[in-house]
Amino acid sequence: MSVESSSTSVAVTDAQSKNVRKPKYSRFSQQELDAWQPILTPSWAISIFTVIGLIFIPVGLASLFASESVVEVPFRYDDECLPPDYKNDALAYIQNDSINKTCTRKLTVKNNMQAPIYVYYQLGNFYQNHRRYVKSRNDKQLRNKASEGDVSSCSPEDYTSNEMGHKPIVPCGIIAWSLFNDTYKLSSNNKDLVINKKNIAWKSDQLAKFGSDVYPKNFQTGGLIGGARLNESIPLSEQEDLIVWMRTAALPTFRKLYGKIETDIEVNEEVTLVIENNYNTYEFGGKKSLVLSTTTWVGGRNHFLGMAYILIGGVSLLLAVGFLLLYVMQPRPLGDPSYLSWNKNPGSLR
Amino acid sequence: MRRGKRRMIKLKFSKIYSFACGKTSFQRDHSRIGGHGHSRVVVCNEPGSFEGEIFSYADNSVRSTKYTVATFLPKSLFEQFRRVANFYFLVAGILAFTKLTPYTAVSAILPLSIIIGATMVKEGIEDWRRKKQDIEVNNRRAILHKGDGLFEYTEWKNLRVGNIVKIMKDEFFPADLLLLSSSYEDAVCYVETMNLDGETNLKLKQGLEVTSSLHEDFKFHDFRAVIKCEDPNANLYSFVGSMEFGEQKYPLSAHQLLLRDSKLRNTDYVFGAVIFTGHDTKVIQNSTDPPSKRSKIEKKMDKIIYLLFCVLFLIAFVGSVLFGITTKRDLVNGIMKRWYLRPDSSTVFFDPERAYAAAIFHSLTALMLYNFFIPISLYFSIEIVKVLQSIFINRDIRMYYEEANKRALARTSNLNEELGQVDTILSDKTGTLTCNSMEFIKCSVAGVAYGRGVTEVEQALGRSNGSPILNESINRLELKSNEIRDSPDRKEPIEGFNFTDERIMNGNWVHEPHADVIQKFFRLLAVCHTAIPVVDEETGNISYEAESPDEAAFVIAAREVGFKFYKRTQTCLSMYELDPISGNEVERTYKLLNVLEYNSSRKRMSVIVKDERGRIFLLCKGADSVMFERLAENGRKYEEKTLEHVREYADAGLRTLILAYRELDEEEYKEFDDKFSEVKNSVSADRETLMEEVSDKMERNLILLGATAVEDKLQNGVPDCIDKLAQAKIKVWVLTGDKMETAINIGFSCRLLRQGMKQIIIHLEIPEIQALEKAGDKRAIAKASRESVHHQISEGGKLVSASRGTCQQTFALIIDGKSLTYALEDDMKNMFLELASYCASFICCRSSPKQKALVTRLVKSGTGKTTLAIGDGANDVGMLQEADVGIGISGVEGMQAVMSSDIAIAQFRYLERLLLVHGHWCYRRMSSMICYFFYKNITFGFTLFLYEVYASFSGQPGYNDWFLSLYSVFFSSLPVIALGVLDQDVSARYCLKFPILYQEGVQNVLFSWRLILSWMLNGFISATMIFFFCTKAIEPQAFDKEGRTAGRDMMGVTMYTCVVWVVNLQMALAIRYFTLIQHIFIWGSIGFWYLFLLAYGAMPPSMSTNVYKVFIETLAPYPSFWVVTFFVVISTLIPSFSCSVIQMWFFPMYHQTVQWIRYERKKSNPE
């Protein structure tokens, strides 16, 4: 092949004439480029599956161990904190501002939790990813003081009502408006477990997306109060709860960071939770939980990844063994030209 | 005597060409002039006159472009959006500017504009090329009469109807002209119509006698005439009109019409009046747009797109219904459910109180969102790939024909992949299988066979028989011819002449026993023809312009033997010949009295000449079937021997003609001439028949001289090519105009027919029908013929079905044109097709161009398989256009076939490479490319849908807008284009080594519904796995050590990363051919995604919105991201990978088996 091609290339260089329409030889134009042409030989396939298995199982074990080492204490309180009188009329309870919503519960932590312990609120059946919800914000307004009046795409939470002077709301939109407003106080052995609410948001959000000179204005002043109010003296970049909330969740069940506890919790320690149960999840049948969790290098507690790694790794090894057995027991002459017989109908093969 | 003399001077070509250019009766046609369809009035030679203004006919510029500057934009946009998919994207793009949109409008419009823009640029460039060609044509120069007998050069585009132009020798006619006069006294001229009908022979045109005297420039200064004629039409062979000249009205016919794009030959100049200009000319009226052909794959692809549209509409519908339900539930009796969505104060798109409207609007949103199921760049990528594929075809050095300096030319890039699915090849013979250069190779004179050449048929037969004797004799002969070739006095090979025999050559014939017969024989060859000698003034060499290559071969043969015809005047033929007594070359002149021309019913031609001694001879050459019966009793001296030789020649695949002559006495001739002239000048309807009768009476009592044998040479490599095509199980059908014996011989020589094949011959040369033909009852003939053909076909069918399943008997079907007429009738054609498709070979002889096209259509529609027609002449045009793929041979005959073909090659043998290598590759590339396209878009689109399920179908995409729109453009497009352009399942060498591989295309295994659907299923599975693995692994727990959880942005990027990895790795797993380019594209696409993520994330948040620093801050630093993507990507690929391992081992397809073979060979002997 190579001899042939080199001779043609010589012939081409001889042909200097302009009229000669002989195509120029190049390995590209003649489609003779060097190519790696691997085929799935038994050894290739078996070794690929083996390698996958050999990588997956250790990785799976590692992440499973890591996930296992995480201590997670979830506590669902939406029904727990509903006074028995209101069991059948949760709405009346939650919408009545005059009822005291404080709810105190005790929780025994079965494992030792080492600081930092993260406190989360978890909502279920809450569609933060709904298109209407996701779009109802104005990034410009959040960023720039100058754009305070820019409330496009924030309707209906764009301006205060006419009675209130039709002023632009900062931050506008229903995301901010529906800000989660339950509060948690934790204590153990009559000692407060201080929840540090600093550094719970991403730095980039604080620095670039929420202005340090933008202050909440006219927020939650309408007839319909959605969720939390904001301290108008703190710039948006410091309102970390808001920042966390405004990074909308991917799925209808989501967890958001509430704060950090910088002290350890011992085994069988009884933790007292004081929850202000303000947020209305009853109306849409959502769930609310408070979650205490430690973390490791894979994050929080979730066995799925580790298990799946091990499972897929195991399957790969099984496939490798299976193919090996097939290969040993039934060696087929794979490159037998007789497979290319005249009478075989390849249509039936597939 | 006086009369005789005058005749001698006035004897004109018009007289000699007795059949071709007589006057026929135009009475009926001419009565229509001035009526409907015949309203054209041309006022000649009055430029700028008032009358000329009334009839504002088009000028002579032509435009072949599709667009003008003004119409380009609207028209090309319209063309673009005629495609369903593009239109859909346009609507989606427009809707993106409304509130309905799930993403920003710019991100939706940009990819569409890129795609549409690029396609339009391509269209524009193509049109610009056509424009340049138009400009070139319109600015050619012609000589125009400016008035007062002055002629000046002007551009073609300036010519107007009525102008008088002067055309010089070898110039093209700029418009359709009425021939007025020529450099010849009687206003004849020769015209080459190669550009019109592909025929290379010269045609004779003759102006009216009244205008024939206008052959000087100055005579035109007061020339006036009015021509009334038919309106512009496409019929090349008819013209009806009349000319008012002086006080008289003269009828005009096609004999006076010179058509645009034909060429003036052998005539110094002509004068003509412009009748039709520009787009009114017959040739342009005739140029129909070639039928636009689309490949089967593309047609199927349309179906897949419709299928995907159905899927799209279905899921959009389901989504909208569910969305409507959830939205409606948000507000029941004034009580809000999902209060955080503010259903109480909503826009119409989310208003629970108008849930139906919301659902309907949502369905539009969903249609936009799920448009990723339909690959936006599919059409565009396909076009790019096809153009590149055709460049590969054009550039293939192994399809370059050095002798003619021609390469393969894919004139349309639409049909590349169709080349890989050809089931039946319908081939022309002359010029396609054969060179169409006739070589005089043998002759039989006075019962002695001369000529030592070995024909290719003999060689082929010798090879296939393996008969030692024949082989030996061939070897000996080859040895001998080699000796001759090597001997120093061997001259350059002469085209058309391959005759070697020392008994004849170099004047040795004078020593032969029948030297006088030999002399007459070659003299006849030198005189009895219509060829025109062309003397090269520098070298003195003589070449000939002849109507057919056969005729040229005869004259050349005569020249080489020593009868050098060198001059033809209107009345005389002059030649040098060897005087056997003195041994000197002497000049002889024969007075040409009459030419009785060849036509297919006469199958012979004769000339009547008078030699210098005043003897009158009738010299005749013709087919054996008509000649032997015309011999005189005393002329049959050599009949037996000659007959034997003729049979031998025919067996050797040669074309034979019988030569005979007769001496006439003055009286006899005079009687004939009177009668002949009388008949010729008559205007009765049966003039032709009468002329044939008169001629027939003369062409009797002939004296046999001998027979000639001319070889129609096979092109190089044709038998091997046909062999390979047969191995690829492609059926090759030959449709030829030749007679049956020749066709069968050629069939043998090109290995279409083999010894041991059972031949089923269907013909009508049977006694009963011949008897009926004598009686002349046409209806009875038709009935008997039909019955006979039916009978023969059913007999053949029985024979074939009887042998089926028993032994490996192969059949060949041979049918002649006359029978084919009946076989193609509706009631019989299916039966005929069935028989034909069971036969390994099929030869159809004596078929007309129309029949060729009909057979093609029958095969195409009857079997539903892909047909390929290959031909070189104008008579193949119908067939080429009818077939799924038309291949033109850019050979000796005109460009007509090439112009109407889809792909042009220089030689038949390149078909092997074109089909088995390029066709196979293109088919494979295109089908895997399309499958993969759908796979990658389903994988992507379905993750969007799954996300919707978890976003209460609100139409919120899981990904950033720009991720959505750039997916098809950047992160998955280049590898698939590389696949479409470069992928090779096996190398060219193995393609040719295992022709059976080609059957993959014919049986369409690589683009079967099963395969397509399994790819789609793979897409759905991949999407499902990616979505669930990602969501389950990431949510809801903390994502990193700092306890932060992943939001929509991070989830989107992780999932998208997985999609990009999976589709690109799937590509890497699907192909078995990695050049550097594939590596760059595949890994580059993945790498580019990360780069894009970095770059996009680094932009200020006003541009990057929720992607701002997502990768660099929230994903990349944490192991979760890497562990998750690694897991998702690998495990998503495992199912399809396992399937392909199993398939490769246990159910290998042809190409995979070949890959195994290649692999094992390589392993056993590493290079």
Side-chain angles (χ1 to χ4, degrees), chain A residues 1 4 12 19-23 25 28-42 45 48-49 52 55-56 118 120 125-127 129-135 143 156-157 174 177-178 200-204 208-209 224 226 247-252 255-257 279-280 283-284 295-302 304-305 308-309 312 316 319 323 326 330 332 334-337 339-342 344-347 349-350, chain B residues 99-102 336-342 345-346 350 365 392 395-398 400 402 405 407 727 729 918 921 925 947 950-952 954-956 982 984 989 994 996 1003 1005 1010-1011 1029 1031-1033 1035-1045 1047-1049 1051 1072-1075 1077 1101-1102 1105-1106 1108 1113-1114 1119-1120 1123-1124 1126-1127 1130-1131 1134 1137-1138 1140-1143 1145-1146 1148-1150 1153 1155-1160:
Chain A
M1 206 72 177
E4 195 184 320
V12 171
N19 291 328
V20 173
R21 302 187 61 233
K22 182 166 187 170
Y25 176 87
F28 177 73
S29 71
Q30 299 310 308
Q31 310 193 55
E32 289 168 358
L33 287 177
D34 274 326
W36 178 51
Q37 291 168 278
I39 57 172
L40 287 175
T41 58
I48 286 176
F49 279 118
I52 291 177
I55 295 175
F56 266 41
Y118 296 93
Y120 300 92
N125 200 21
F126 187 101
Y127 287 89
N129 57 8
H130 194 280
R131 185 154 67 100
R132 176 168 163 80
Y133 193 83
V134 169
K135 294 222 175 320
R143 218 163 34 230
E157 291 301 322
I174 57 177
W177 172 76
S178 61
I200 56 172
W202 297 104
K203 275 282 155 295
S204 63
K209 288 190 182 167
L224 204 58
R247 253 200 192 214
T248 48
L251 298 174
R255 235 176 242 186
K256 281 186 183 289
L257 192 54
Y279 204 68
N280 180 1
E283 209 166 339
F284 53 83
T295 59
T296 59
W297 59 273
V298 287
R301 185 179 174 93
N302 185 348
F304 174 80
L305 192 62
Y309 255 115
I312 299 288
S316 291
L319 282 172
F323 281 129
L326 274 176
Q330 209 186 12
R332 285 162 55 91
L334 291 159
D336 186 346
Y339 289 151
L340 295 169
S341 76
W342 288 99
K344 196 169 73 170
N345 177 13
L349 281 177
R350 290 289 304 160
Chain B
K99 289 241 157 147
L100 288 167
T101 177
M336 288 189 279
K337 260 189 98 186
R338 292 189 289 184
W339 55 269
Y340 54 90
L341 296 177
R342 289 299 297 270
S345 155
S346 192
F350 301 102
T365 308
F392 278 139
R395 290 281 174 83
D396 195 326
I397 219 160
R398 290 188 182 80
Y400 168 74
E402 202 124 18
N405 191 22
R407 35 163 108 172
Q727 284 178 42
K729 300 193 87 180
H918 288 282
W921 279 347
R925 288 165 182 175
Y947 187 75
Y950 286 86
S952 74
S954 59
Q956 177 61 43
L982 297 171
Q984 298 180 5
R989 199 155 56 101
F994 299 101
I996 189 71
Q1003 302 181 8
V1005 284
R1010 198 177 158 155
L1011 203 66
F1029 285 166
T1031 52
K1032 289 286 171 243
E1035 297 290 344
Q1037 84 285 6
F1039 185 77
D1040 56 31
K1041 201 156 169 29
E1042 275 84 62
R1044 284 173 286 225
T1045 54
R1048 210 170 53 81
D1049 45 355
M1051 176 69 89
R1072 296 278 165 272
Y1073 183 79
F1074 294 88
T1075 63
I1077 298 169
S1102 55
T1105 60
N1106 69 348
Y1108 179 66
E1113 184 190 22
T1114 66
S1120 296
V1123 176
V1124 168
F1126 179 69
F1127 166 72
I1130 300 292
S1131 37
I1134 281 179
F1137 182 68
S1138 315
S1140 61
V1141 169
I1142 290 169
Q1143 193 253 319
W1145 288 12
F1146 299 102
M1149 289 192 265
Y1150 283 160
T1153 307
Q1155 285 170 353
W1156 282 119
I1157 293 170
R1158 188 189 73 96
Y1159 168 75
E1160 286 183 359

Side-chain angles (χ1 to χ4, degrees), chain B residues 598-889:
Chain B
Y598 178 88
N599 71 28
S600 54
S601 63
R602 283 163 43 82
K603 294 183 179 171
R604 61 184 182 270
M605 86 164 278
S606 309
V607 293
I608 301 176
V609 292
K610 195 181 215 175
D611 74 0
E612 284 159 333
R613 280 189 279 168
R615 291 185 301 179
I616 301 173
F617 290 100
L618 180 138
L619 307 175
C620 183
K621 63 182 187 200
D624 48 0
S625 58
V626 294
M627 290 299 284
F628 281 113
E629 66 192 36
R630 295 179 180 277
L631 297 181
E633 276 310 309
N634 60 347
R636 296 177 180 268
K637 199 167 152 197
Y638 315 116
E639 186 184 1
E640 206 175 307
K641 276 276 179 191
T642 310
L643 208 56
E644 194 181 299
H645 291 149
V646 167
R647 269 194 216 110
E648 271 171 28
Y649 294 156
D651 284 343
L654 302 174
R655 298 182 174 214
T656 56
L657 277 184
I658 306 297
L659 309 189
Y661 79 105
R662 174 181 170 204
E663 190 171 348
L664 308 171
D665 53 44
E666 194 79 35
E667 285 297 302
E668 202 179 355
Y669 174 69
K670 200 166 170 307
E671 193 186 323
F672 161 79
D673 189 44
D674 288 346
K675 207 163 181 189
F676 192 69
S677 317
E678 182 193 320
V679 172
K680 207 172 112 178
N681 293 329
S682 74
V683 281
S684 61
D686 52 353
R687 179 174 150 273
E688 297 269 320
T689 340
L690 285 174
M691 278 170 64
E692 271 188 37
E693 255 168 45
V694 176
S695 314
D696 188 58
K697 285 209 185 104
M698 285 305 282
E699 293 163 327
R700 280 173 192 277
N701 298 322
L702 303 172
I703 295 161
L704 180 67
L705 289 172
T708 57
V710 168
E711 185 180 22
D712 188 1
K713 275 194 83 173
L714 276 186
Q715 286 185 5
N716 270 339
V718 166
D720 290 331
C721 176
I722 288 188
D723 214 32
K724 270 274 154 59
L725 295 177
Q727 284 178 42
K729 300 193 87 180
I730 305 171
K731 297 194 194 91
V732 180
W733 291 19
V734 173
L735 310 173
T736 169
D738 276 329
K739 57 185 175 202
M740 189 169 277
E741 298 78 34
T742 323
I744 291 177
N745 287 330
I746 292 291
F748 273 110
S749 65
C750 61
R751 293 198 213 154
L752 211 53
L753 301 177
R754 284 177 289 269
Q755 302 295 330
M757 255 183 179
K758 177 95 184 99
Q759 293 179 12
I760 301 170
I761 299 179
I762 297 175
H763 63 105
L764 289 171
E765 309 283 307
I766 41 179
E768 302 101 74
I769 295 188
Q770 277 165 341
L772 282 169
E773 267 167 6
K774 289 240 166 67
D777 182 351
K778 285 200 171 133
R779 210 185 300 162
I781 296 171
K783 187 160 175 283
S785 307
R786 188 170 297 126
E787 273 165 14
S788 161
V789 171
H790 190 276
H791 176 72
Q792 292 182 47
I793 292 178
S794 54
E795 283 294 306
K798 269 181 222 156
L799 207 62
V800 171
S801 54
S803 82
R804 216 183 316 150
T806 51
C807 55
Q808 292 287 320
Q809 175 79 27
T810 49
F811 292 89
L813 181 65
I814 295 139
I815 188 167
D816 70 354
K818 231 190 268 172
S819 321
L820 190 64
T821 323
Y822 299 105
L824 289 176
E825 282 174 2
D826 282 340
D827 50 341
M828 235 183 287
K829 68 181 182 190
N830 288 332
M831 205 167 103
F832 167 64
L833 180 64
E834 196 179 346
L835 174 62
S837 43
Y838 279 125
C839 292
S841 302
F842 173 93
I843 294 176
C844 172
C845 31
R846 288 255 171 264
S847 55
S848 68
K850 180 122 192 264
Q851 282 179 326
K852 291 182 177 184
L854 282 176
V855 170
T856 312
R857 182 180 303 170
L858 177 66
V859 179
K860 194 171 83 167
S861 56
T863 62
K865 299 268 180 62
T866 308
T867 52
L868 177 145
I870 179 165
D872 74 319
N875 56 349
D876 304 315
V877 167
M879 174 168 89
L880 295 183
Q881 294 192 338
E882 187 64 52
D884 292 304
V885 191
I887 307 271
I889 300 274

Side-chain angles (χ1 to χ4, degrees), chain B residues 3 22 55 224 237 251 384 464 539 765 773 807 829 865 970 1163:
Chain B
R3 224 180 117 224
F55 311 102
R224 293 290 177 274
Y237 303 108
I384 296 223
S464 61
T539 60
E765 309 283 307
E773 267 167 6
C807 55
K829 68 181 182 190
K865 299 268 180 62
F970 285 147
K1163 206 167 65 172

Side-chain angles (χ1 to χ4, degrees), chain B residues 911-960:
Chain B
L911 203 57
E912 177 184 340
R913 192 170 171 86
L914 188 67
L915 295 186
L916 299 187
V917 179
H918 288 282
H920 176 72
W921 279 347
C922 289
Y923 163 73
R924 185 192 152 72
R925 288 165 182 175
M926 199 50 71
S927 48
S928 9
M929 174 174 159
I930 295 172
C931 283
Y932 176 80
F933 241 109
F934 289 120
Y935 160 79
K936 84 178 172 65
N937 277 63
I938 285 175
T939 304
F940 184 63
F942 199 59
T943 57
L944 279 168
F945 175 74
L946 289 172
Y947 187 75
E948 285 310 283
V949 176
Y950 286 86
S952 74
F953 298 99
S954 59
Q956 177 61 43
Y959 311 119
N960 182 280

Side-chain angles (χ1 to χ4, degrees), chain A residues 4-292:
Chain A
E4 195 184 320
S5 54
S6 67
S7 66
T8 42
S9 64
V10 169
V12 171
T13 47
D14 287 346
Q16 294 294 332
S17 167
K18 219 179 178 184
N19 291 328
V20 173
R21 302 187 61 233
K22 182 166 187 170
K24 285 222 171 62
Y25 176 87
S26 78
R27 302 195 72 168
F28 177 73
S29 71
Q30 299 310 308
Q31 310 193 55
E32 289 168 358
L33 287 177
D34 274 326
W36 178 51
Q37 291 168 278
I39 57 172
L40 287 175
T41 58
S43 47
W44 259 104
I46 291 167
S47 40
I48 286 176
F49 279 118
T50 314
V51 167
I52 291 177
L54 291 182
I55 295 175
F56 266 41
I57 289 174
V59 174
L61 285 174
S63 53
L64 194 59
F65 277 127
S67 162
E68 192 65 45
S69 71
V70 171
V71 182
E72 188 180 272
V73 184
F75 175 67
R76 182 175 168 188
Y77 64 87
D78 52 298
D79 43 359
E80 187 83 12
C81 286
L82 195 62
D85 315 357
Y86 292 95
K87 271 279 185 271
N88 295 320
D89 197 4
L91 282 184
Y93 164 77
I94 201 79
Q95 282 173 348
N96 192 341
D97 288 340
S98 57
I99 301 173
N100 180 13
K101 305 274 170 42
T102 313
C103 154
T104 311
R105 291 288 183 279
K106 290 212 188 309
L107 201 63
T108 313
V109 174
K110 298 216 168 59
N111 295 75
N112 174 30
M113 291 179 94
Q114 281 185 337
I117 299 162
Y118 296 93
V119 183
Y120 300 92
Y121 53 90
Q122 175 170 333
L123 293 176
N125 200 21
F126 187 101
Y127 287 89
Q128 252 203 329
N129 57 8
H130 194 280
R131 185 154 67 100
R132 176 168 163 80
Y133 193 83
V134 169
K135 294 222 175 320
S136 188
R137 64 192 283 164
N138 192 315
D139 289 336
K140 224 165 159 189
Q141 187 201 41
L142 299 173
R143 218 163 34 230
N144 288 327
K145 190 170 174 56
S147 309
E148 262 183 12
D150 191 349
V151 291
S152 58
S153 79
C154 282
S155 165
E157 291 301 322
D158 42 3
Y159 293 102
T160 56
S161 61
N162 286 333
E163 300 90 68
M164 302 289 290
H166 195 71
K167 290 177 189 147
I169 298 170
V170 184
C172 71
I174 57 177
I175 309 183
W177 172 76
S178 61
L179 175 61
F180 186 73
N181 60 354
D182 287 4
T183 57
Y184 308 134
K185 281 204 174 66
L186 276 69
S187 59
S188 165
N189 304 331
N190 296 326
K191 199 176 76 197
D192 271 3
L193 295 170
V194 182
I195 300 177
N196 177 6
K197 296 189 64 110
K198 283 275 164 224
N199 296 327
I200 56 172
W202 297 104
K203 275 282 155 295
S204 63
D205 279 1
Q206 286 184 284
L207 292 174
K209 288 190 182 167
F210 292 83
S212 55
D213 53 351
V214 184
Y215 293 89
K217 262 182 208 155
N218 313 315
F219 191 64
Q220 300 289 25
T221 53
L224 204 58
I225 306 299
R229 293 165 200 278
L230 294 173
N231 186 341
E232 299 210 346
S233 60
I234 301 173
L236 289 187
S237 62
E238 300 302 316
Q239 309 261 14
E240 291 197 46
D241 273 332
L242 177 75
I243 296 174
V244 169
W245 180 254
M246 297 224 11
R247 253 200 192 214
T248 48
L251 298 174
T253 299
F254 59 90
R255 235 176 242 186
K256 281 186 183 289
L257 192 54
Y258 183 81
K260 289 181 262 185
I261 299 171
E262 310 283 1
T263 46
D264 294 357
I265 297 174
E266 299 302 317
V267 181
N268 290 330
E269 202 173 311
E270 205 176 49
V271 178
T272 309
L273 312 172
V274 181
I275 300 167
E276 290 293 329
N277 184 15
N278 299 321
Y279 204 68
N280 180 1
T281 54
Y282 302 102
E283 209 166 339
F284 53 83
K287 296 173 192 150
K288 273 198 287 195
S289 313
L290 179 151
V291 183
L292 299 177

Side-chain angles (χ1 to χ4, degrees), chain B residues 265-400:
Chain B
R265 298 295 299 270
N266 288 68
T267 312
D268 291 333
Y269 58 87
V270 295
F271 290 102
V274 178
I275 298 182
F276 298 118
T277 46
H279 290 270
D280 293 340
T281 55
K282 290 195 180 251
V283 62
I284 292 180
Q285 292 266 319
N286 223 313
S287 65
T288 47
D289 285 334
S292 82
K293 297 176 185 175
R294 300 190 67 207
S295 67
K296 289 207 163 56
I297 287 200
E298 273 198 58
K299 285 180 195 153
K300 197 163 183 181
M301 187 183 81
D302 284 349
K303 284 188 199 144
I304 303 172
I305 290 196
Y306 290 127
L307 174 78
L308 280 178
F309 266 120
C310 291
V311 173
L312 174 70
F313 281 108
L314 182 74
I315 64 172
F317 177 73
V318 169
S320 299
V321 168
L322 292 169
F323 171 78
I325 291 170
T326 49
T327 306
K328 198 170 174 58
R329 278 199 205 135
D330 275 346
L331 193 68
V332 183
N333 300 327
I335 299 164
M336 288 189 279
K337 260 189 98 186
R338 292 189 289 184
W339 55 269
Y340 54 90
L341 296 177
R342 289 299 297 270
D344 58 320
S345 155
S346 192
T347 56
V348 66
F349 308 122
F350 301 102
D351 193 346
E353 283 173 342
R354 287 176 284 175
Y356 288 108
I360 287 165
F361 280 122
H362 175 271
S363 65
L364 293 175
T365 308
L367 286 181
M368 280 190 265
L369 181 61
Y370 302 140
N371 72 22
F372 300 97
F373 277 98
I374 315 290
I376 187 168
S377 52
L378 178 62
Y379 285 114
F380 178 68
S381 308
I382 285 179
E383 293 209 356
I384 296 223
V385 162
K386 284 185 167 179
V387 167
L388 292 172
Q389 282 177 349
S390 358
I391 290 177
F392 278 139
I393 291 176
N394 295 347
R395 290 281 174 83
D396 195 326
I397 219 160
R398 290 188 182 80
M399 293 202 291
Y400 168 74

